[in-house]
Amino acid sequence: FFRIHGMSSWDHCGNLLKKRHLNWYKHFFTIKQHDLYYFSKDTDSVPKYRINLYGAHVTNIDRLQFSVKGPSLPKDKFILKASAEEEKNQWIQVLQDAIQRAPQPSD
């Protein structure tokens, strides 16, 4: 499919913690154009999910946490956690930009 290490083609990428039930799990996320790619780890060559961000919403939760909700997301919502507030703010901005660019998916 593609290699992660060609990161110059990504609009934004990095590790975030993703909440599942009561626990946090580290995953690698990338954004390219209007899609969010979610990998189990940064060495994986195939994403676990490719998510079109059309109709998605990003919500700030606290200093480090934010959520991404949308019709194309598995389980309807991701709760994510950055390692620093500045990193969280960068992710929120890049996601909002990608959402604005996202075309409606074709069936």
Side-chain angles (χ1 to χ4, degrees), residues 62-96:
D62 66 21
R63 193 175 74 76
L64 299 177
Q65 296 180 46
F66 61 101
S67 68
V68 181
K69 298 178 185 179
S72 298
L73 269 79
K75 310 269 189 227
D76 249 5
K77 173 171 75 171
F78 284 164
I79 297 177
L80 303 171
K81 186 178 193 178
S83 60
E85 188 170 7
E86 183 178 334
E87 178 188 15
K88 178 204 68 173
N89 293 337
Q90 287 175 345
W91 274 103
I92 288 174
Q93 184 60 58
V94 172
L95 282 161
Q96 288 172 337

mmCIF file of all heavy atoms in Angstrom, residues 62-96:
data_model
loop_
_atom_site.group_PDB
_atom_site.id
_atom_site.type_symbol
_atom_site.label_atom_id
_atom_site.label_comp_id
_atom_site.label_asym_id
_atom_site.label_seq_id
_atom_site.Cartn_x
_atom_site.Cartn_y
_atom_site.Cartn_z
ATOM 1 N N ASP A 62 -9.700 18.603 27.038
ATOM 2 C CA ASP A 62 -8.926 19.238 28.115
ATOM 3 C C ASP A 62 -7.542 19.593 27.592
ATOM 4 O O ASP A 62 -7.337 19.650 26.385
ATOM 5 C CB ASP A 62 -8.885 18.367 29.387
ATOM 6 C CG ASP A 62 -8.132 17.051 29.222
ATOM 7 O OD1 ASP A 62 -7.303 16.923 28.297
ATOM 8 O OD2 ASP A 62 -8.366 16.134 30.031
ATOM 9 N N ARG A 63 -6.578 19.789 28.471
ATOM 10 C CA ARG A 63 -5.253 20.256 28.079
ATOM 11 C C ARG A 63 -4.562 19.332 27.077
ATOM 12 O O ARG A 63 -3.843 19.793 26.200
ATOM 13 C CB ARG A 63 -4.378 20.419 29.327
ATOM 14 C CG ARG A 63 -3.105 21.176 29.105
ATOM 15 C CD ARG A 63 -2.359 21.413 30.392
ATOM 16 N NE ARG A 63 -1.693 20.228 30.916
ATOM 17 C CZ ARG A 63 -0.556 19.726 30.427
ATOM 18 N NH1 ARG A 63 0.035 20.286 29.405
ATOM 19 N NH2 ARG A 63 -0.024 18.655 30.972
ATOM 20 N N LEU A 64 -4.805 18.027 27.166
ATOM 21 C CA LEU A 64 -4.129 17.070 26.288
ATOM 22 C C LEU A 64 -5.078 16.236 25.429
ATOM 23 O O LEU A 64 -4.663 15.646 24.437
ATOM 24 C CB LEU A 64 -3.251 16.111 27.116
ATOM 25 C CG LEU A 64 -2.130 16.743 27.923
ATOM 26 C CD1 LEU A 64 -1.403 15.668 28.735
ATOM 27 C CD2 LEU A 64 -1.158 17.496 27.041
ATOM 28 N N GLN A 65 -6.349 16.194 25.780
ATOM 29 C CA GLN A 65 -7.284 15.307 25.089
ATOM 30 C C GLN A 65 -8.198 16.053 24.122
ATOM 31 O O GLN A 65 -8.572 17.189 24.361
ATOM 32 C CB GLN A 65 -8.167 14.578 26.106
ATOM 33 C CG GLN A 65 -7.419 13.655 27.026
ATOM 34 C CD GLN A 65 -8.365 12.983 28.004
ATOM 35 O OE1 GLN A 65 -9.429 12.485 27.619
ATOM 36 N NE2 GLN A 65 -7.989 12.967 29.279
ATOM 37 N N PHE A 66 -8.567 15.338 23.051
ATOM 38 C CA PHE A 66 -9.552 15.836 22.102
ATOM 39 C C PHE A 66 -10.261 14.647 21.478
ATOM 40 O O PHE A 66 -9.796 13.511 21.567
ATOM 41 C CB PHE A 66 -8.893 16.725 21.027
ATOM 42 C CG PHE A 66 -7.856 16.044 20.171
ATOM 43 C CD1 PHE A 66 -8.173 15.611 18.893
ATOM 44 C CD2 PHE A 66 -6.556 15.844 20.622
ATOM 45 C CE1 PHE A 66 -7.225 14.994 18.092
ATOM 46 C CE2 PHE A 66 -5.598 15.240 19.837
ATOM 47 C CZ PHE A 66 -5.934 14.809 18.562
ATOM 48 N N SER A 67 -11.413 14.901 20.894
ATOM 49 C CA SER A 67 -12.148 13.818 20.245
ATOM 50 C C SER A 67 -12.373 14.156 18.779
ATOM 51 O O SER A 67 -12.434 15.320 18.391
ATOM 52 C CB SER A 67 -13.484 13.557 20.945
ATOM 53 O OG SER A 67 -14.356 14.644 20.747
ATOM 54 N N VAL A 68 -12.486 13.104 17.989
ATOM 55 C CA VAL A 68 -12.837 13.217 16.572
ATOM 56 C C VAL A 68 -14.068 12.349 16.387
ATOM 57 O O VAL A 68 -14.051 11.159 16.701
ATOM 58 C CB VAL A 68 -11.689 12.727 15.661
ATOM 59 C CG1 VAL A 68 -12.070 12.891 14.197
ATOM 60 C CG2 VAL A 68 -10.384 13.440 15.967
ATOM 61 N N LYS A 69 -15.149 12.967 15.939
ATOM 62 C CA LYS A 69 -16.404 12.255 15.708
ATOM 63 C C LYS A 69 -16.768 12.418 14.243
ATOM 64 O O LYS A 69 -16.539 13.470 13.662
ATOM 65 C CB LYS A 69 -17.528 12.840 16.549
ATOM 66 C CG LYS A 69 -17.324 12.750 18.031
ATOM 67 C CD LYS A 69 -18.471 13.405 18.770
ATOM 68 C CE LYS A 69 -18.206 13.433 20.253
ATOM 69 N NZ LYS A 69 -19.268 14.076 20.996
ATOM 70 N N GLY A 70 -17.360 11.385 13.682
ATOM 71 C CA GLY A 70 -17.795 11.509 12.310
ATOM 72 C C GLY A 70 -18.394 10.240 11.766
ATOM 73 O O GLY A 70 -18.200 9.156 12.322
ATOM 74 N N PRO A 71 -19.121 10.365 10.662
ATOM 75 C CA PRO A 71 -19.830 9.226 10.091
ATOM 76 C C PRO A 71 -18.911 8.130 9.559
ATOM 77 O O PRO A 71 -19.312 6.974 9.493
ATOM 78 C CB PRO A 71 -20.676 9.842 8.968
ATOM 79 C CG PRO A 71 -20.007 11.141 8.648
ATOM 80 C CD PRO A 71 -19.352 11.599 9.913
ATOM 81 N N SER A 72 -17.678 8.455 9.201
ATOM 82 C CA SER A 72 -16.772 7.452 8.636
ATOM 83 C C SER A 72 -15.874 6.788 9.672
ATOM 84 O O SER A 72 -15.097 5.914 9.331
ATOM 85 C CB SER A 72 -15.889 8.089 7.559
ATOM 86 O OG SER A 72 -16.672 8.580 6.510
ATOM 87 N N LEU A 73 -15.970 7.226 10.921
ATOM 88 C CA LEU A 73 -15.106 6.672 11.956
ATOM 89 C C LEU A 73 -15.657 5.364 12.500
ATOM 90 O O LEU A 73 -16.853 5.260 12.758
ATOM 91 C CB LEU A 73 -14.951 7.655 13.125
ATOM 92 C CG LEU A 73 -13.778 8.612 13.007
ATOM 93 C CD1 LEU A 73 -14.110 9.737 12.063
ATOM 94 C CD2 LEU A 73 -13.390 9.129 14.350
ATOM 95 N N PRO A 74 -14.760 4.383 12.696
ATOM 96 C CA PRO A 74 -15.223 3.177 13.373
ATOM 97 C C PRO A 74 -15.635 3.558 14.796
ATOM 98 O O PRO A 74 -14.993 4.390 15.419
ATOM 99 C CB PRO A 74 -13.991 2.270 13.397
ATOM 100 C CG PRO A 74 -12.886 3.018 12.753
ATOM 101 C CD PRO A 74 -13.374 4.378 12.376
ATOM 102 N N LYS A 75 -16.691 3.010 15.290
ATOM 103 C CA LYS A 75 -17.201 3.310 16.638
ATOM 104 C C LYS A 75 -17.670 4.749 16.782
ATOM 105 O O LYS A 75 -17.876 5.218 17.880
ATOM 106 C CB LYS A 75 -16.144 3.016 17.716
ATOM 107 C CG LYS A 75 -15.505 1.673 17.625
ATOM 108 C CD LYS A 75 -16.248 0.651 18.427
ATOM 109 C CE LYS A 75 -15.440 -0.622 18.472
ATOM 110 N NZ LYS A 75 -16.153 -1.779 18.203
ATOM 111 N N ASP A 76 -17.794 5.504 15.686
ATOM 112 C CA ASP A 76 -18.340 6.863 15.685
ATOM 113 C C ASP A 76 -17.459 7.940 16.304
ATOM 114 O O ASP A 76 -17.671 9.096 16.066
ATOM 115 C CB ASP A 76 -19.690 6.899 16.398
ATOM 116 C CG ASP A 76 -20.829 7.160 15.445
ATOM 117 O OD1 ASP A 76 -20.575 7.223 14.233
ATOM 118 O OD2 ASP A 76 -21.953 7.304 15.920
ATOM 119 N N LYS A 77 -16.488 7.546 17.172
ATOM 120 C CA LYS A 77 -15.703 8.572 17.847
ATOM 121 C C LYS A 77 -14.363 8.010 18.293
ATOM 122 O O LYS A 77 -14.290 6.871 18.746
ATOM 123 C CB LYS A 77 -16.475 9.089 19.059
ATOM 124 C CG LYS A 77 -15.706 10.046 19.938
ATOM 125 C CD LYS A 77 -16.568 10.698 21.004
ATOM 126 C CE LYS A 77 -16.899 9.777 22.138
ATOM 127 N NZ LYS A 77 -17.538 10.466 23.262
ATOM 128 N N PHE A 78 -13.312 8.827 18.136
ATOM 129 C CA PHE A 78 -12.013 8.532 18.725
ATOM 130 C C PHE A 78 -11.772 9.561 19.820
ATOM 131 O O PHE A 78 -11.969 10.752 19.599
ATOM 132 C CB PHE A 78 -10.878 8.688 17.711
ATOM 133 C CG PHE A 78 -10.746 7.577 16.703
ATOM 134 C CD1 PHE A 78 -9.984 7.776 15.564
ATOM 135 C CD2 PHE A 78 -11.339 6.341 16.883
ATOM 136 C CE1 PHE A 78 -9.828 6.777 14.627
ATOM 137 C CE2 PHE A 78 -11.189 5.326 15.942
ATOM 138 C CZ PHE A 78 -10.427 5.547 14.819
ATOM 139 N N ILE A 79 -11.349 9.126 20.984
ATOM 140 C CA ILE A 79 -10.845 10.040 22.005
ATOM 141 C C ILE A 79 -9.334 9.886 21.994
ATOM 142 O O ILE A 79 -8.817 8.777 22.175
ATOM 143 C CB ILE A 79 -11.438 9.746 23.398
ATOM 144 C CG1 ILE A 79 -12.947 9.957 23.352
ATOM 145 C CG2 ILE A 79 -10.785 10.649 24.451
ATOM 146 C CD1 ILE A 79 -13.661 9.625 24.639
ATOM 147 N N LEU A 80 -8.646 10.983 21.727
ATOM 148 C CA LEU A 80 -7.204 10.961 21.539
ATOM 149 C C LEU A 80 -6.515 11.851 22.556
ATOM 150 O O LEU A 80 -7.104 12.802 23.062
ATOM 151 C CB LEU A 80 -6.862 11.424 20.118
ATOM 152 C CG LEU A 80 -7.517 10.609 18.995
ATOM 153 C CD1 LEU A 80 -7.301 11.278 17.659
ATOM 154 C CD2 LEU A 80 -6.992 9.189 18.990
ATOM 155 N N LYS A 81 -5.252 11.530 22.818
ATOM 156 C CA LYS A 81 -4.477 12.279 23.806
ATOM 157 C C LYS A 81 -3.077 12.515 23.260
ATOM 158 O O LYS A 81 -2.397 11.580 22.849
ATOM 159 C CB LYS A 81 -4.411 11.477 25.110
ATOM 160 C CG LYS A 81 -3.762 12.178 26.261
ATOM 161 C CD LYS A 81 -3.838 11.241 27.471
ATOM 162 C CE LYS A 81 -3.505 11.919 28.750
ATOM 163 N NZ LYS A 81 -3.627 10.990 29.900
ATOM 164 N N ALA A 82 -2.675 13.778 23.254
ATOM 165 C CA ALA A 82 -1.331 14.165 22.820
ATOM 166 C C ALA A 82 -0.414 14.208 24.040
ATOM 167 O O ALA A 82 -0.863 14.209 25.184
ATOM 168 C CB ALA A 82 -1.383 15.528 22.140
ATOM 169 N N SER A 83 0.882 14.291 23.777
ATOM 170 C CA SER A 83 1.843 14.329 24.889
ATOM 171 C C SER A 83 2.043 15.739 25.433
ATOM 172 O O SER A 83 2.586 15.912 26.521
ATOM 173 C CB SER A 83 3.180 13.740 24.446
ATOM 174 O OG SER A 83 3.695 14.471 23.362
ATOM 175 N N ALA A 84 1.599 16.751 24.683
ATOM 176 C CA ALA A 84 1.735 18.144 25.119
ATOM 177 C C ALA A 84 0.582 18.960 24.541
ATOM 178 O O ALA A 84 0.009 18.607 23.511
ATOM 179 C CB ALA A 84 3.072 18.722 24.660
ATOM 180 N N GLU A 85 0.255 20.059 25.205
ATOM 181 C CA GLU A 85 -0.864 20.900 24.756
ATOM 182 C C GLU A 85 -0.609 21.475 23.366
ATOM 183 O O GLU A 85 -1.522 21.526 22.538
ATOM 184 C CB GLU A 85 -1.105 22.019 25.767
ATOM 185 C CG GLU A 85 -2.361 22.803 25.482
ATOM 186 C CD GLU A 85 -2.721 23.758 26.608
ATOM 187 O OE1 GLU A 85 -1.924 23.918 27.556
ATOM 188 O OE2 GLU A 85 -3.810 24.339 26.534
ATOM 189 N N GLU A 86 0.613 21.891 23.088
ATOM 190 C CA GLU A 86 0.931 22.442 21.759
ATOM 191 C C GLU A 86 0.719 21.397 20.670
ATOM 192 O O GLU A 86 0.181 21.684 19.604
ATOM 193 C CB GLU A 86 2.380 22.938 21.738
ATOM 194 C CG GLU A 86 2.776 23.579 20.426
ATOM 195 C CD GLU A 86 4.216 24.101 20.446
ATOM 196 O OE1 GLU A 86 4.737 24.429 21.527
ATOM 197 O OE2 GLU A 86 4.797 24.167 19.354
ATOM 198 N N GLU A 87 1.121 20.171 20.946
ATOM 199 C CA GLU A 87 0.916 19.084 19.983
ATOM 200 C C GLU A 87 -0.578 18.848 19.756
ATOM 201 O O GLU A 87 -1.030 18.669 18.624
ATOM 202 C CB GLU A 87 1.583 17.810 20.495
ATOM 203 C CG GLU A 87 1.372 16.615 19.574
ATOM 204 C CD GLU A 87 1.856 15.308 20.172
ATOM 205 O OE1 GLU A 87 2.094 15.238 21.398
ATOM 206 O OE2 GLU A 87 1.959 14.343 19.407
ATOM 207 N N LYS A 88 -1.357 18.849 20.830
ATOM 208 C CA LYS A 88 -2.811 18.678 20.712
ATOM 209 C C LYS A 88 -3.407 19.781 19.843
ATOM 210 O O LYS A 88 -4.205 19.525 18.937
ATOM 211 C CB LYS A 88 -3.476 18.687 22.092
ATOM 212 C CG LYS A 88 -4.993 18.558 22.013
ATOM 213 C CD LYS A 88 -5.702 19.123 23.198
ATOM 214 C CE LYS A 88 -5.544 20.623 23.237
ATOM 215 N NZ LYS A 88 -6.329 21.291 24.255
ATOM 216 N N ASN A 89 -3.001 21.015 20.086
ATOM 217 C CA ASN A 89 -3.516 22.144 19.304
ATOM 218 C C ASN A 89 -3.150 22.027 17.830
ATOM 219 O O ASN A 89 -3.958 22.369 16.962
ATOM 220 C CB ASN A 89 -3.019 23.464 19.886
ATOM 221 C CG ASN A 89 -3.612 23.741 21.255
ATOM 222 O OD1 ASN A 89 -4.663 23.218 21.613
ATOM 223 N ND2 ASN A 89 -2.930 24.560 22.047
ATOM 224 N N GLN A 90 -1.943 21.534 17.532
ATOM 225 C CA GLN A 90 -1.545 21.321 16.133
ATOM 226 C C GLN A 90 -2.442 20.275 15.478
ATOM 227 O O GLN A 90 -2.904 20.463 14.351
ATOM 228 C CB GLN A 90 -0.087 20.873 16.045
ATOM 229 C CG GLN A 90 0.905 21.952 16.328
ATOM 230 C CD GLN A 90 2.331 21.412 16.346
ATOM 231 O OE1 GLN A 90 2.576 20.210 16.422
ATOM 232 N NE2 GLN A 90 3.290 22.322 16.288
ATOM 233 N N TRP A 91 -2.676 19.167 16.175
ATOM 234 C CA TRP A 91 -3.553 18.127 15.625
ATOM 235 C C TRP A 91 -4.958 18.662 15.369
ATOM 236 O O TRP A 91 -5.549 18.394 14.324
ATOM 237 C CB TRP A 91 -3.623 16.921 16.562
ATOM 238 C CG TRP A 91 -2.515 15.941 16.325
ATOM 239 C CD1 TRP A 91 -1.389 15.780 17.080
ATOM 240 C CD2 TRP A 91 -2.415 15.015 15.247
ATOM 241 N NE1 TRP A 91 -0.602 14.796 16.528
ATOM 242 C CE2 TRP A 91 -1.214 14.305 15.412
ATOM 243 C CE3 TRP A 91 -3.224 14.698 14.165
ATOM 244 C CZ2 TRP A 91 -0.802 13.309 14.530
ATOM 245 C CZ3 TRP A 91 -2.818 13.704 13.287
ATOM 246 C CH2 TRP A 91 -1.618 13.022 13.465
ATOM 247 N N ILE A 92 -5.493 19.412 16.311
ATOM 248 C CA ILE A 92 -6.841 19.968 16.141
ATOM 249 C C ILE A 92 -6.887 20.868 14.908
ATOM 250 O O ILE A 92 -7.805 20.760 14.090
ATOM 251 C CB ILE A 92 -7.294 20.712 17.415
ATOM 252 C CG1 ILE A 92 -7.592 19.701 18.529
ATOM 253 C CG2 ILE A 92 -8.534 21.578 17.136
ATOM 254 C CD1 ILE A 92 -7.899 20.329 19.881
ATOM 255 N N GLN A 93 -5.906 21.732 14.737
ATOM 256 C CA GLN A 93 -5.884 22.644 13.588
ATOM 257 C C GLN A 93 -5.760 21.884 12.263
ATOM 258 O O GLN A 93 -6.491 22.160 11.310
ATOM 259 C CB GLN A 93 -4.734 23.649 13.724
ATOM 260 C CG GLN A 93 -4.709 24.685 12.606
ATOM 261 C CD GLN A 93 -5.976 25.511 12.549
ATOM 262 O OE1 GLN A 93 -6.324 26.160 13.526
ATOM 263 N NE2 GLN A 93 -6.681 25.486 11.433
ATOM 264 N N VAL A 94 -4.854 20.925 12.211
ATOM 265 C CA VAL A 94 -4.661 20.154 10.972
ATOM 266 C C VAL A 94 -5.911 19.334 10.653
ATOM 267 O O VAL A 94 -6.317 19.234 9.493
ATOM 268 C CB VAL A 94 -3.400 19.265 11.083
ATOM 269 C CG1 VAL A 94 -3.287 18.330 9.908
ATOM 270 C CG2 VAL A 94 -2.142 20.118 11.197
ATOM 271 N N LEU A 95 -6.534 18.755 11.670
ATOM 272 C CA LEU A 95 -7.770 18.005 11.442
ATOM 273 C C LEU A 95 -8.887 18.911 10.943
ATOM 274 O O LEU A 95 -9.616 18.556 10.003
ATOM 275 C CB LEU A 95 -8.203 17.297 12.727
ATOM 276 C CG LEU A 95 -7.449 16.013 13.058
ATOM 277 C CD1 LEU A 95 -7.610 15.654 14.525
ATOM 278 C CD2 LEU A 95 -7.937 14.875 12.165
ATOM 279 N N GLN A 96 -9.036 20.092 11.541
ATOM 280 C CA GLN A 96 -10.074 21.018 11.087
ATOM 281 C C GLN A 96 -9.834 21.454 9.645
ATOM 282 O O GLN A 96 -10.780 21.554 8.860
ATOM 283 C CB GLN A 96 -10.152 22.214 12.028
ATOM 284 C CG GLN A 96 -10.758 21.861 13.362
ATOM 285 C CD GLN A 96 -10.690 22.973 14.397
ATOM 286 O OE1 GLN A 96 -9.859 23.865 14.320
ATOM 287 N NE2 GLN A 96 -11.560 22.901 15.386
#
